[in-house]
Amino acid sequence: MDSHTVLYGVIGDPIRHSRSPVMLNRAFRAAGINGAYAAFHVTPERLGEAIRGIRALGFRGLNVTIPHKIEVMAYVDEIDEGARAIGAVNTIVNDDGKLVGYNTDGIGYVRSLKEEAEPELRGKKIVVVGTGGAARGIVWALAREKPASIALANRTAERAQALAESFSAEAQVSAIAWDALSEACAEADVVINTTSVGMSPDVEAVPVDPSWLRPGAVASDLIYNPLTTAFLRGAAERGCRIHGGLGMFVYQGAYAFEYWTGRPAPTDAMREAVLASFEPQHI
Ligand code: NAP
């Protein structure tokens, strides 16, 4: 670092578990960019001060994580169309003092799904299990790929209904009952777990029975700790193609890197840095 180093960071509460600094610092190094990225613990009552600090210190970019993704929208100058539709910002670009908010979670997920498991989503039948915060961005980004249908199921049915209603103008998005999942999974080309079921430490739990899926279909899980969940293991045994959550994490960061620097993200180096940050037992 020297007096030309351009600064970046991530804010959240909690934040010390974040692998973004390891991943983005590796990206700057691999791309030969004089940038530095750090994690900042910002509590909700200090969010406004933190954003004023970013402006005053001239940070070029910021990632925003739980619990600030919605509230931070009040502090930026402009919100990209996708982030506005999703209702959350996870990336801020500081353009000469003007802060622009984006959401790279959903598009990061879809880029990873297409590069790692299913290059063509047009015309596909997709089932999304869980409709929490992460699902919103994913459903928005999936809808832009023109699939045949997106069926949403959630333990709390009203949340699936609400999400389906917000995107039903853009694609065939509908809510289905939780107990209709086995039938929907049997017909689906892609089944995506966006719930936290199966996440460490409860690693043997599955959100849906993998035997419901059609062999050859894609089973996808947002969870990346563990890297291969019990749902994905079961789906692989059934003959499905599997797609874990690490790629979503890498590509949401890759889009942020590209928005900030205008350069293609060195995704292989980024993935390697995140993998190396895991304890050996998680790999
Ligand atoms: P969230 O807003 O808290 O939503 C949690 C979702 O899981 C809700 O739909 C919830 O249903 C459902 N759920 C929780 N426990 C359940 C259970 N026992 N049975 C059935 N459904 C259950 O969380 P989020 O931010 O969307 O995150 C969801 C998952 O995605 C987490 O595992 C997170 O680690 C992962 N994620 C990964 C990335 C990545 O980069 N790979 C990024 C973001 C999130 P109810 O509505 O009924 O409570």
Side-chain angles (χ1 to χ4, degrees):
M1 287 173 71
D2 59 21
S3 38
H4 295 279
T5 303
V6 179
L7 292 178
Y8 302 84
V10 56
I11 58 169
D13 177 24
I15 199 62
R16 295 296 161 221
H17 63 287
S18 174
R19 292 184 161 86
S20 291
V22 163
M23 179 169 76
L24 269 311
N25 283 313
R26 174 71 72 84
F28 292 132
R29 212 161 58 241
I33 289 172
N34 186 2
Y37 185 111
F40 300 92
H41 182 203
V42 174
T43 52
E45 68 279 8
R46 307 202 72 171
L47 179 61
E49 275 178 78
I51 301 299
R52 278 194 292 281
I54 297 308
R55 287 182 194 275
L57 297 175
F59 274 49
R60 167 68 177 155
L62 194 69
N63 283 132
V64 180
T65 190
I66 290 169
H68 304 312
K69 291 187 188 187
I70 297 170
E71 285 72 18
V72 80
M73 296 174 82
Y75 297 99
V76 297
D77 303 308
E78 211 175 285
I79 297 171
D80 158 75
E81 182 206 334
R84 193 185 303 281
I86 293 161
V89 158
N90 81 325
T91 300
I92 296 174
V93 179
N94 182 353
D95 264 331
D96 291 329
K98 185 175 79 177
L99 302 189
V100 186
Y102 296 88
N103 191 309
T104 68
D105 284 330
I107 54 176
Y109 170 79
V110 167
R111 183 160 152 193
S112 151
L113 180 66
K114 289 172 78 172
E115 290 201 8
E116 295 161 24
E118 179 52 80
E120 184 58 70
L121 294 170
R122 181 181 285 266
K124 295 286 173 1
K125 288 185 185 165
I126 301 175
V127 170
V128 176
V129 185
T131 53
R136 244 191 114 70
I138 284 172
V139 172
W140 180 81
L142 286 171
R144 288 157 55 100
E145 299 292 323
K146 310 275 178 253
S149 62
I150 305 176
L152 309 178
N154 196 49
R155 177 180 62 176
T156 311
E158 307 81 68
R159 294 183 82 188
Q161 195 64 48
L163 186 55
E165 276 163 20
S166 36
F167 295 126
S168 57
E170 288 160 53
Q172 265 310 19
V173 187
S174 59
I176 60 167
W178 190 255
D179 59 15
L181 261 176
S182 75
E183 211 174 306
C185 287
E187 291 183 358
D189 299 302
V190 184
V191 177
I192 306 166
N193 173 40
T194 77
T195 76
S196 44
V197 178
M199 194 163 76
S200 179
D202 196 7
V203 296
E204 291 310 321
V206 289
V208 297
D209 185 337
S211 72
W212 294 345
L213 275 66
R214 181 175 59 71
V218 173
S220 172
D221 202 322
L222 263 55
I223 294 170
Y224 62 92
N225 184 10
L227 291 170
T228 308
T229 57
F231 168 58
L232 294 186
R233 272 204 321 273
E237 281 163 19
R238 173 127 184 100
C240 297
R241 290 170 285 156
I242 63 169
H243 170 247
L246 181 65
M248 171 177 177
F249 180 67
V250 170
Y251 283 110
Q252 61 76 32
Y255 273 117
F257 178 95
E258 290 169 0
Y259 291 166
W260 293 329
T261 66
R263 304 256 299 267
T267 50
D268 289 346
M270 292 167 74
R271 184 184 301 268
E272 189 189 287
V274 182
L275 277 173
S277 76
F278 275 95
E279 299 285 331
Q281 73 264 22
H282 291 134
I283 297 179

